[in-house]
Amino acid sequence: MAKSVAVRENARQTRPALWLRKHWFWLGVNLAAAFPLVQLAWDFWREALSVNPIDDITDRTGKAAIMLLFFSLACTPANTIFGVRQAVTVRKALGMWAFVYASVHLLNFVGYDYGFDLRFILEDGLPTKPYILVGLLAFLVLVPLAITSTKGWQKRLGQRWKQLHKLVYVAGVAAVLHFFWLAKAAEDWEPALYAVVLSLLLAVRIPAVRRRLVSMRTQRQGKQQSHGDGTKRTATRNPALKSTRP
């Protein structure tokens, strides 16, 4: 009896360690994704934002949203082209974090900047800040993607789920255009960098490009495997060489 209790207690103690060993990458990515939001909340609470807190919040949340969206878009090619299987496990989490930051970004504009005054937004915000419409498009595209990101919705929608979630590319393009327009790209290199990154992420999804990259990875792995097998055979034939290996 005592032995069975000890076994159960030992299993209970090792369960968190096993979970951590299996999900360490997922946990690390989520902690990293949450860090800018936690830091923003801490700075807001300490009143340590810049002299223009609205612009500070807008800048931080906007950049975090677009970067996390790009990271989520990079997960599939990282797996299929470069063989980074762990990337697939964080794709959904990165997309959800992008939506969280986009929501805070929009809430900052509507609530903190314009006090939830829709009339003021329509009369002042849109005429003076037309890039808002493109940003709003990106957000509205992300809404159904966030809602249907669960396995339950994936089963309900079937093949339509994949078609729906291809709209994430539209959100990415709209987000880059929003940033281009907002930052006046001619005066800032950062929007151009985001545009280049998005172009590369879209390019690797072209079937011909994807097949070529996968073929190159397969050939490289084949050469590495052949070289490893040749080294093992040489060591087997030459005991002296084998003994010098660590």
Side-chain angles (χ1 to χ4, degrees), residues 13-44:
Q13 291 176 355
T14 57
R15 197 173 299 156
L18 292 174
W19 184 92
L20 185 61
R21 187 182 303 172
K22 183 178 179 180
H23 300 284
W24 67 270
F25 185 73
W26 180 89
L27 180 61
V29 168
N30 277 273
L31 290 175
F35 179 76
L37 187 60
V38 173
Q39 186 178 36
L40 176 62
W42 176 247
D43 289 344
F44 183 83

Side-chain angles (χ1 to χ4, degrees), residues 119-139:
R119 182 178 178 180
F120 188 31
I121 293 174
L122 294 176
E123 292 179 352
D124 177 76
L126 293 182
T128 59
K129 303 172 182 177
Y131 51 80
I132 293 171
L133 292 175
V134 185
L136 182 61
L137 172 63
F139 178 78

Side-chain angles (χ1 to χ4, degrees), residues 16-17 22 53 87 135 158 165 183 210 214 233 238:
K22 183 178 179 180
H165 279 253
R210 184 175 65 247
V214 171
R233 286 194 297 270
N238 191 343

